[in-house]
Amino acid sequence: MEASSTTRIATAKLAPAKLAPTKIVPSQVVWLSPTQAETRLLNRAEPQYPREALAAHRVGDVVLEVQVAEDGSISSIRTLSGDPLLAAAATEAVRNWRYQPYRQHDHPAQFQTDVTLSFSLPN
């Protein structure tokens, strides 16, 4: 009995709840696997093989961390691995890529993925 009496008194003293105005929270970046991100790719520009890299017979993979804005454009690129000459060419090409905008909970969202570009010498 004492517990219910205390509860009634506490309830009577509480002010009516006020709802806070709805806030739009900036979207958080979602991670998409390279395979998932590739299915969203709308426009892909291939990198130009740098002349210096061709002359030096430089080959290999370049891995880039790519952040895609809410509108599907590339907002930032960071080289994770690869030859610096080849990475510059890869970055230049990927900067022009365009993805289908990603939506999370029916709101536009940024996403991040890794992109691997392979450079090999022509036959």
Side-chain angles (χ1 to χ4, degrees):
M1 285 290 235
E2 190 174 314
S4 63
S5 172
T6 305
T7 303
R8 248 185 287 133
I9 294 168
T11 303
K13 292 182 180 179
L14 290 176
K18 293 182 182 179
L19 296 176
T22 304
K23 292 182 181 179
I24 305 291
V25 178
S27 66
Q28 294 185 2
V29 178
V30 176
W31 166 258
L32 293 184
S33 72
T35 303
Q36 289 174 307
E38 191 170 0
T39 65
R40 306 189 71 78
L41 193 56
L42 299 174
N43 183 32
R44 175 185 174 128
E46 294 301 323
Q48 296 294 318
Y49 216 118
R51 289 181 190 188
E52 304 85 26
L54 276 171
H57 302 292
R58 293 188 181 181
V59 297
D61 291 343
V62 173
V63 181
L64 304 174
E65 179 184 85
V66 178
Q67 187 154 353
V68 180
E70 292 175 352
D71 67 356
S73 64
I74 305 301
S75 58
S76 71
I77 302 172
R78 184 170 69 101
T79 302
L80 298 178
S81 66
D83 181 283
L85 272 178
L86 301 176
T91 299
E92 178 83 18
V94 172
R95 186 171 281 120
N96 296 305
W97 288 13
R98 183 79 176 196
Y99 287 88
Q100 177 184 357
Y102 186 80
R103 296 184 70 80
Q104 183 179 35
H105 307 296
D106 207 30
H107 296 287
Q110 299 176 26
F111 71 87
Q112 183 176 316
T113 191
D114 289 346
V115 170
T116 302
L117 295 173
S118 298
F119 289 81
S120 58
L121 294 172
N123 292 332

